[in-house]
Amino acid sequence: MDSVNTYISVLHGSLRKKLELVKELLEFTKEQNIILNEDDVDIDSFDKIVSEKDIRINEVLEIDKGFDSVFNKIGSTIKANPQEYRQQILELQNLIRTITDIGVEIEGLENKNKEKFSKFILAKREEIKDFKKSNNTAASYYKNMSNQHQEWKSYFVDRKN
């Protein structure tokens, strides 16, 4: 029983750590939203946030693995004696609910950010396409102009005084 309480304490601690990480992920996602709403998107800042989010997501995945491992050790004991661990179970459930609510909020923001990012990428592709078109036009103009004067052609200039 004492070891079960220790394991429950470990589960509680891992959920608190996961909650902190999920809150950080929410803040990063909000920052991305702000960046994507700007007229001049700072892609370096956006990329930096993506890297930071990736680190947090990997930490959350590790916590989930650990949580599952510990829960598999004591899950049957807790299920067999739910009244004995009622208070701890309620605390764990509340943490899980809070984490899930934040996860839903992150998912909604991520969907909005994805849509805004897709529009940003589409606009940048158009800019690149226009730039290439302008470049090709200028290159062909200069090519044609340079071919106008060739040494083997003679030029006659009439001057009437």
Side-chain angles (χ1 to χ4, degrees):
M1 181 170 129
D2 191 36
S3 65
V4 173
N5 284 327
T6 303
Y7 283 128
I8 289 174
S9 178
V10 169
L11 292 175
H12 195 267
S14 65
L15 285 177
R16 281 195 313 265
K17 177 65 178 166
K18 183 176 178 176
L19 179 60
E20 289 173 26
L21 291 169
V22 171
K23 285 179 180 179
E24 288 179 28
L25 285 169
L26 177 61
E27 289 307 311
F28 285 134
T29 306
K30 287 178 180 179
E31 287 178 37
Q32 283 180 316
N33 189 278
I34 291 168
I35 290 171
L36 290 171
N37 281 328
E38 293 174 355
D39 291 335
D40 187 25
V41 174
D42 183 359
I43 199 67
D44 291 332
S45 295
F46 186 86
D47 191 44
K48 186 177 177 183
I49 292 172
V50 168
S51 297
E52 290 295 324
K53 283 176 67 173
D54 191 46
I55 291 168
R56 301 315 185 282
I57 289 169
N58 287 332
E59 289 179 35
V60 167
L61 293 174
E62 286 300 313
I63 288 173
D64 285 345
K65 285 180 190 175
F67 184 92
D68 289 343
S69 174
V70 171
F71 187 78
N72 287 336
K73 290 180 182 178
I74 62 166
S76 58
T77 305
I78 291 174
K79 290 176 187 173
N81 305 306
Q83 290 303 325
E84 188 174 339
Y85 304 104
R86 181 170 172 72
Q87 185 59 37
Q88 292 104 323
I89 292 171
L90 288 175
E91 289 173 12
L92 293 175
Q93 287 174 337
N94 286 334
L95 283 170
I96 291 170
R97 247 183 242 106
T98 304
I99 291 168
T100 302
D101 291 344
I102 294 172
V104 168
E105 187 176 353
I106 290 172
E107 188 176 353
L109 271 173
E110 283 290 346
N111 288 334
K112 289 178 185 178
N113 288 350
K114 180 181 176 186
E115 188 177 308
K116 289 176 185 177
F117 190 74
S118 294
K119 288 178 182 177
F120 168 76
I121 292 296
L122 187 62
K124 287 299 176 188
R125 283 185 182 150
E126 285 297 317
E127 283 180 30
I128 291 169
K129 186 173 147 185
D130 290 345
F131 177 77
K132 284 181 179 178
K133 196 182 291 184
S134 297
N135 239 4
N136 289 339
T137 302
S140 101
Y141 170 78
Y142 287 117
K143 182 179 176 186
N144 286 336
M145 291 308 289
S146 69
N147 288 336
Q148 291 299 317
H149 174 43
Q150 297 172 353
E151 289 183 31
W152 55 270
K153 286 186 177 179
S154 59
Y155 288 94
F156 295 100
V157 179
D158 284 337
R159 288 190 173 176
K160 293 185 180 180
N161 295 331

